Amino acid sequence: MTSGPVYLDAASSEPLHPAAREVLLAALDQGYADPRRLHRAGRSARLLLDNARAVVAEALDVRPDEVTFTSSGTQAVHLGLLGLHQGARDGTITHTAVEHSAVLHAAAFAGGGRELPVDRLGRVEVAAPPAGTSVLAVQAANHEVGTTQPVTELAAVAGGVPLFVDACASAGRLPLPEGWSVAAASAHKWGGPAGVGLLLVRKGARWRPPFPADERIDERAPGFENVPSALAAAAALQAVVNERDEVGARQRALVDEVRRAVATIPNVDVVGDPVDRLPHLVTFSCLYIDGEALVTELDRLGYAVASGSACTASTLTPSHVLAAMGALTHGNVRLSLPREATHEQVAAFLAVLPDTVTRLRGEVGH
Amino acid sequence: MELELDCRGQVCPLPVISLAKAAETLQPGDTVVVTADDAAAAVDIPAWCRMKGHEYLGSEEPSVYRVRLR
């Protein structure tokens, strides 16, 4: 099937799950009111919000009172990491070199973080955090290359230092790894609507509000609750977790196929852990090609992919993730399969890729 | 022999392309000293060496990278 554009950028944003669409439309009519009000419309909104919280808690195997809805994954990261840092008496944030920029910016906001190097696969070594660490920030899986991190093993040797786990890339697709004090996730990456994040705070964690308080239902997050979207996000998460074994296995096999096929193109670096990884994501870099030119050309051919390259004047530095791994930063392409991606679509992509690479290399005379 | 390659002002992937073209004219054991001010060169020149089996000798000063061909 090659008719119509093929969307292969689910890690940037997964299309809305059908389960979320139905729930969202119904909840728009029933969940508009202020859930703190005592009137009937307010009680209806409150019921939907409590329901959303309960569904998320069950899907992630956490307690309902550990779940806070935020207005984005980024906001959940900022609140989560800075709140744990605030709760620690002193010290500095330590984070892996491949964290999402939301973590890096939050660490900079807190006065600067210390960085842990990663190996060629993008994985951090299991070791106690450096002395004077307030919080250890480690992602569940990497958003650019898919490699999972040894969260549970790190927690076991952390010596009481709390872990902040950014689970934005993996939530719904992989079980939450154990060992976190606070975790964050983002609904639009699992097929919920944009504008909903999850802040998960373990019962008993020393988390303190890092920003001005608000007087909402859940005092961990400021602002009026987006009840319809929270409920739709919960419905999508529940559906994704229920179909995870089947969808994940299919995506794993497709990604294996991509990794095998791409590795046969001359001068291509396939990046990230081939096994311990996100099920739906694969990244590779092609020597001698401008990554943005490759993305543009693939888009023209009907394939939507992302790139960590920065070969234009608009962004001066390439992906910090690829750089930390020692991976080639130019000619980079990230494929991430949405739930509906088919074998035919992936095969069609693999059929056009080698010629596209050759053609672009020819244009630059190599 | 040692070749000096001035790639200042080139954006990625041009410095690596220049390096690869220069390498084709040289012999195993020769060294290339690349001067490239593009930020990606610091990662991509060592990565090119790894992918092509050459030896990356390091960067003694900012934006200057030394490579030994194999």
Side-chain angles (χ1 to χ4, degrees):
Chain A
M1 195 202 90
T2 50
S3 60
V6 176
Y7 184 77
L8 300 171
D9 193 18
S12 292
S13 198
E14 172 84 24
L16 195 66
H17 195 288
R21 178 181 300 277
E22 287 169 33
V23 167
L24 182 59
L25 291 174
L28 286 171
D29 291 329
Q30 294 163 28
Y32 56 87
D34 185 341
R36 292 182 314 162
R37 298 296 172 211
L38 299 177
H39 45 61
R40 186 182 301 245
R43 292 200 309 275
S44 168
R46 177 65 192 260
L47 199 66
L48 296 187
L49 186 63
D50 288 347
N51 185 12
R53 199 187 311 279
V55 168
V56 165
E58 194 190 340
L60 297 179
D61 198 18
V62 301
R63 296 164 49 119
D65 62 359
E66 294 175 331
V67 177
T68 296
F69 291 103
T70 64
S71 61
S72 68
T74 297
Q75 193 196 28
V77 166
H78 291 172
L79 285 168
L81 178 54
L82 295 173
L84 263 186
H85 181 65
Q86 186 95 346
R89 283 189 187 83
D90 49 24
T92 308
I93 293 170
T94 298
H95 57 82
T96 81
V98 294
E99 295 299 307
H100 190 276
S101 59
V103 168
L104 305 187
H105 286 302
F109 181 85
R114 277 179 298 194
E115 198 170 279
L116 298 177
V118 296
D119 63 17
R120 285 266 305 123
L121 297 177
R123 186 166 289 118
V124 70
E125 187 189 351
V126 176
T133 295
S134 60
V135 184
L136 176 58
V138 55
Q139 60 199 182
N142 187 265
H143 50 293
E144 285 186 43
V145 304
T147 299
T148 56
Q149 297 293 351
V151 171
T152 308
E153 294 85 344
L154 283 164
V157 299
V161 171
L163 260 65
F164 169 76
V165 173
D166 171 9
C168 287
S170 68
R173 304 176 186 279
L174 298 175
L176 270 180
E178 291 188 10
W180 50 273
S181 292
V182 172
S186 175
H188 73 95
K189 291 185 187 288
W190 70 64
V196 181
L198 292 182
L199 170 65
L200 307 173
V201 178
R202 268 283 184 244
K203 186 89 180 156
R206 281 184 59 85
W207 183 90
R208 301 291 179 268
F211 300 128
D214 198 1
E215 288 152 15
R216 303 302 309 173
I217 298 210
D218 184 337
E219 56 192 26
R220 290 191 194 117
F224 189 88
E225 297 83 357
N226 185 349
V227 173
S229 288
L231 192 67
L237 183 63
Q238 184 179 47
V240 164
V241 167
N242 285 342
E243 60 196 26
R244 166 159 76 202
D245 289 348
E246 183 258 322
V247 172
R250 180 158 46 82
Q251 291 178 332
R252 269 186 190 283
L254 289 173
V255 164
D256 283 341
E257 191 175 333
V258 173
R259 292 184 75 99
R260 272 195 305 274
V262 167
T264 66
I265 303 173
N267 296 323
V268 171
D269 200 10
V270 188
V271 182
D273 194 311
V275 179
D276 293 325
R277 58 165 171 83
L278 290 171
H280 68 308
L281 188 152
V282 51
T283 299
F284 54 90
S285 297
C286 309
L287 263 178
Y288 314 130
I289 298 184
D290 170 352
E292 279 136 331
L294 187 50
V295 167
T296 304
E297 181 61 10
L298 288 169
D299 181 59
R300 194 184 67 77
L301 294 168
Y303 301 92
V305 301
S307 174
S309 299
C311 294
T312 59
S314 58
T315 43
L316 291 172
T317 51
S319 154
H320 70 274
V321 172
L322 298 174
M325 298 167 64
L328 189 70
T329 71
H330 70 243
N332 178 256
V333 165
R334 181 189 70 185
L335 238 70
S336 49
L337 309 177
R339 174 176 165 272
E340 308 233 314
T342 64
H343 181 263
E344 289 72 20
Q345 290 173 330
V346 170
F349 172 81
L350 292 175
V352 302
L353 182 66
D355 283 351
T356 307
V357 169
T358 304
R359 194 163 61 249
L360 289 174
R361 281 179 178 157
E363 283 173 17
V364 294
H366 208 93
Chain B
M1 69 166 280
E2 180 171 296
L3 177 75
E4 295 206 357
L5 198 60
D6 185 356
C7 298
R8 282 175 292 185
Q10 296 182 5
V11 297
C12 79
L14 296 177
V16 174
I17 292 174
S18 301
L19 174 57
K21 284 180 176 168
E24 286 172 7
T25 68
L26 299 170
Q27 300 297 318
D30 290 347
T31 58
V32 187
V33 180
V34 188
T35 304
D37 48 14
D38 184 70
V43 181
D44 287 356
I45 290 176
W48 177 82
C49 291
R50 172 175 54 75
M51 291 171 72
K52 302 303 289 180
H54 301 301
E55 186 181 1
Y56 177 63
L57 299 175
S59 177
E60 282 156 31
E61 53 182 298
S63 304
V64 179
Y65 310 94
R66 187 177 287 271
V67 172
R68 181 184 290 133
L69 302 178
R70 283 194 174 153

